[in-house]
Amino acid sequence: MSDGATGLIETEAGAEPRNGERRRGIDRVIMLLEALLRHRAPMRVGDIAKMIGAPRSTTYEIVNSLLEAEMLENVGTEGYVYFGRAMHLFGWAYSHHNAHYRRIIETLDKMAAETGETVQLCGLRGNKYIVLDCRDSSGPFRISSDVGVEVPIPWTASGRLLLGHMSEEELKDFIPPGDYKLPDGRVIAPAEFFSDVALARRQGFSETVALADRFTWCMAAPIRDSYGAINKTLCFVLPVDTPEARRSELLALLCERARGLSLAGS
Amino acid sequence: MSDGATGLIETEAGAEPRNGERRRGIDRVIMLLEALLRHRAPMRVGDIAKMIGAPRSTTYEIVNSLLEAEMLENVGTEGYVYFGRAMHLFGWAYSHHNAHYRRIIETLDKMAAETGETVQLCGLRGNKYIVLDCRDSSGPFRISSDVGVEVPIPWTASGRLLLGHMSEEELKDFIPPGDYKLPDGRVIAPAEFFSDVALARRQGFSETVALADRFTWCMAAPIRDSYGAINKTLCFVLPVDTPEARRSELLALLCERARGLSLAGS
DNA sequence: CGTTATTGTCTGATATTTCAGACAATTGGT
DNA sequence: ACCAATTGTCTGAAATATCAGACAATAACG
């Protein structure tokens, strides 16, 4: 039960757990929190222990400490735990400490209110794409993708923009080969993806139609930092049958707002 | 430099650090994060070390681990650190895992959009009051109180509601004597506070005028859980000179929405 | 420019934490 | 009613993470 276990979380923190060795409590905490984030639902202590490859006794110890600090909290009566209130406070502090991020959130709110569509703020985490924040459409058509869940970059419109600074060579090294395979089994040809990236760079926006799933039309526009680099994108997730007229209207709005949030002159 | 240091963080986790003793890494992490939350701004490693009463070498070790996990991140170039992206993701997961909380957030958004006023969600943390989430007024009059900062209960309208289930005896034991002293030096008579609590319970809402600061009129309404207990409140923070007509309109809205979010029948 | 404080990195020793495993108490399946 | 799996709590022992302190390199200050 050391290496082969599936779903095992391997943080960079601490590299390999050579047989019979001990791990630091801190690293366990980090692994635990990331496991919980991935799983995206309350877990029992026993399952957490399996997931992070830690002894049960150790896991109980750690979980109890985190419970006491309100970083975790009990959910239901049957020993399930999930993130706690303190995490909310820490996260809030993160997202409000910097004026730029605050402006972005306000824009997100405003766009959601004005259009009623699903709006997302996206970025990279390592070599995966993640949603950093979102406002879900108020309509019945609700495609909620979870904040913080890692998704292969080629599945997304934003991904094509976020990699705009890379050469083809760099792209090849950066994207894990398996990530070209879509959830429905289709495979994107790398060459096609590379030209998408180039197109996105030229256009200053990117669209994907029925890619990661059959029902959505995604459009993304870049938010540039003060060096002109693209670290984040703003995007709409629309029903795939949205009429052309409305789509181009929304695309224009998206690009305008994203430009307004960019720090570079250009 | 063991006991007398001011501003030292004392988490419940681990009680007393008897002389010459070592502390667990996990406890240090917890103390560190809470120190950062209190301080509400990026800190240098040296200052963190002082604040949590840990050796510098240990602090560097821990900070580096947390940086690698993106639970902290570097801010600026001069060795400052603050909460990192991972915290945002964990916090987001917390606040969306439960349908009730999600409904509350939506209501918060809607009320802010409709009224343009500052709206807050409040609760208790131990024997202090904290803001759990807020939407700031879009107008020029912006009273932003920070989410997660602990405030003496008697300073707040919400506090009067949140303690509604306690007897006078319990209140006496619960509130630290120093908490009756307002920031401007005035002191609230405990008896007066107790009768405020009773009044709030009877009315089903609570208001304070120019209490914690001279410029605000606060009104709070209770959100009841499925047992009828009040764990959270919804409140408006208004300019103190808001006309009576608008105030009563807003109060009615507040009470209606808070009742809509309550889970109890009553 | 000399003096004092701070930062970031290392080191070795020991006080402590992690770990394996045992335990009783539940739970679940058949 | 049986057997198997799981939960939560304890234990002692070994492995190691925390600690004090030293170090060079900047920074702060008069």
Side-chain angles (χ1 to χ4, degrees):
Chain A
M1 47 93 136
S2 60
D3 247 351
T6 59
L8 216 139
I9 295 277
E10 280 296 343
T11 316
E12 304 78 37
E16 297 170 44
R18 295 198 302 280
N19 199 334
E21 279 191 3
R22 301 165 65 184
R23 292 201 95 128
R24 262 203 330 184
I26 298 190
D27 294 334
R28 296 283 190 205
V29 168
I30 293 169
M31 288 189 286
L32 191 161
L33 295 175
E34 302 213 324
L36 219 47
L37 182 65
R38 270 205 208 178
H39 191 258
R40 225 130 238 287
M43 291 174 81
R44 306 176 109 195
V45 181
D47 297 320
I48 294 176
K50 274 179 212 135
M51 197 127 192
I52 66 177
R56 260 160 22 84
S57 48
T58 305
T59 310
Y60 272 102
E61 173 88 29
I62 290 173
V63 165
N64 286 332
S65 292
L66 296 180
L67 281 173
E68 199 171 352
E70 296 192 272
M71 289 178 62
L72 297 181
E73 69 183 30
N74 284 109
V75 176
T77 55
E78 280 312 323
Y80 284 86
V81 297
Y82 202 53
F83 296 109
R85 238 176 14 168
M87 285 304 190
H88 173 65
L89 303 178
F90 299 153
W92 204 95
Y94 167 78
S95 46
H96 289 253
H97 88 283
N98 121 9
H100 185 220
Y101 202 95
R102 267 203 311 264
R103 268 180 57 218
I104 294 178
I105 300 283
E106 279 167 26
T107 303
L108 216 58
D109 281 328
K110 211 169 1 168
M111 287 175 69
E114 288 168 5
T115 68
E117 304 288 352
T118 297
V119 198
Q120 299 180 331
L121 176 69
C122 308
L124 295 183
R125 188 176 197 192
N127 58 6
K128 301 286 179 185
Y129 154 102
I130 61 173
V131 178
L132 295 167
D133 211 328
C134 77
R135 296 294 176 273
D136 285 327
S137 156
S138 46
F141 190 87
R142 195 179 267 222
I143 320 132
S144 158
S145 42
D146 274 324
V147 164
V149 172
E150 300 186 348
V151 172
I153 297 173
W155 298 10
T156 67
S158 296
R160 287 160 170 71
L161 283 167
L162 290 162
L163 301 186
H165 59 97
M166 290 190 181
S167 70
E168 252 182 56
E169 208 51 49
E170 289 172 307
L171 286 173
K172 269 200 195 90
D173 293 343
F174 191 67
I175 308 250
D179 282 7
Y180 291 104
K181 185 165 176 186
L182 293 167
D184 62 4
R186 283 179 297 164
V187 175
I188 302 174
E192 189 187 338
F193 178 69
F194 299 155
S195 79
D196 277 2
V197 172
L199 177 64
R201 179 169 46 223
R202 268 179 283 126
Q203 287 182 147
F205 65 87
S206 176
E207 294 183 288
T208 60
V209 185
L211 195 67
D213 70 84
R214 298 204 323 279
F215 314 105
T216 55
W217 186 302
C218 300
M219 46 181 70
I223 299 176
R224 293 169 188 281
D225 67 16
S226 44
Y227 303 104
I230 302 173
N231 291 321
K232 302 187 180 65
T233 63
L234 214 53
C235 51
F236 277 124
V237 181
L238 308 172
V240 73
D241 59 1
T242 306
E244 148 70 20
R246 173 142 175 89
R247 282 201 326 259
S248 56
E249 177 194 330
L250 289 171
L251 180 59
L253 176 70
L254 188 72
C255 291
E256 177 204 318
R257 293 295 163 82
R259 211 175 314 115
L261 289 171
S262 294
L263 299 171
S266 178
Chain B
M1 49 94 134
S2 60
D3 248 352
T6 60
L8 215 138
I9 295 278
E10 280 295 343
T11 315
E12 304 78 36
E16 298 170 43
R18 295 198 302 280
N19 199 331
E21 278 192 2
R22 304 163 70 184
R23 288 195 94 113
R24 252 198 340 181
I26 298 189
D27 294 334
R28 295 282 190 207
V29 168
I30 293 169
M31 288 189 287
L32 190 160
L33 295 175
E34 302 212 325
L36 219 47
L37 182 66
R38 271 204 207 179
H39 192 257
R40 266 213 165 244
M43 291 174 81
R44 313 241 263 0
V45 181
D47 296 321
I48 295 176
K50 273 179 213 137
M51 198 129 191
I52 66 177
R56 261 160 19 84
S57 48
T58 305
T59 310
Y60 271 102
E61 172 88 30
I62 290 173
V63 166
N64 286 332
S65 292
L66 296 180
L67 282 172
E68 198 171 351
E70 297 191 271
M71 289 178 62
L72 297 181
E73 68 183 31
N74 283 303
V75 177
T77 54
E78 281 309 326
Y80 284 87
V81 297
Y82 202 53
F83 295 110
R85 237 178 13 171
M87 284 304 189
H88 173 66
L89 302 179
F90 299 153
W92 205 96
Y94 167 79
S95 48
H96 289 253
H97 88 281
N98 122 6
H100 186 222
Y101 203 95
R102 268 202 313 262
R103 270 181 55 217
I104 294 177
I105 300 281
E106 279 166 25
T107 302
L108 216 59
D109 281 328
K110 213 170 356 166
M111 289 174 68
E114 289 168 4
T115 67
E117 304 289 351
T118 297
V119 199
Q120 299 181 331
L121 177 70
C122 309
L124 295 184
R125 188 175 200 195
N127 58 4
K128 300 288 178 184
Y129 154 103
I130 61 173
V131 178
L132 295 167
D133 211 328
C134 78
R135 297 292 177 274
D136 284 328
S137 157
S138 44
F141 189 86
R142 195 179 268 223
I143 321 131
S144 159
S145 43
D146 274 323
V147 165
V149 172
E150 298 185 350
V151 173
I153 296 174
W155 298 9
T156 68
S158 296
R160 286 159 171 70
L161 284 167
L162 290 163
L163 301 185
H165 59 98
M166 290 190 181
S167 69
E168 255 184 50
E169 208 52 49
E170 288 172 308
L171 287 173
K172 268 200 196 92
D173 293 344
F174 191 68
I175 310 252
D179 282 9
Y180 291 104
K181 185 166 177 184
L182 293 168
D184 62 3
R186 283 179 297 162
V187 175
I188 302 174
E192 190 188 336
F193 178 68
F194 300 155
S195 80
D196 277 2
V197 171
L199 177 64
R201 179 171 45 222
R202 268 178 283 126
Q203 287 183 146
F205 65 86
S206 177
E207 295 183 288
T208 59
V209 185
L211 195 66
D213 68 84
R214 296 205 326 278
F215 315 105
T216 55
W217 186 302
C218 300
M219 44 181 70
I223 299 176
R224 292 170 188 281
D225 67 16
S226 43
Y227 303 104
I230 302 173
N231 291 321
K232 301 186 181 66
T233 64
L234 214 52
C235 50
F236 277 123
V237 181
L238 309 173
V240 73
D241 58 1
T242 306
E244 148 71 18
R246 174 143 174 86
R247 282 200 327 258
S248 56
E249 177 194 330
L250 289 171
L251 180 59
L253 177 70
L254 188 71
C255 291
E256 177 204 318
R257 293 294 163 83
R259 210 174 317 114
L261 289 172
S262 293
L263 299 171
S266 179

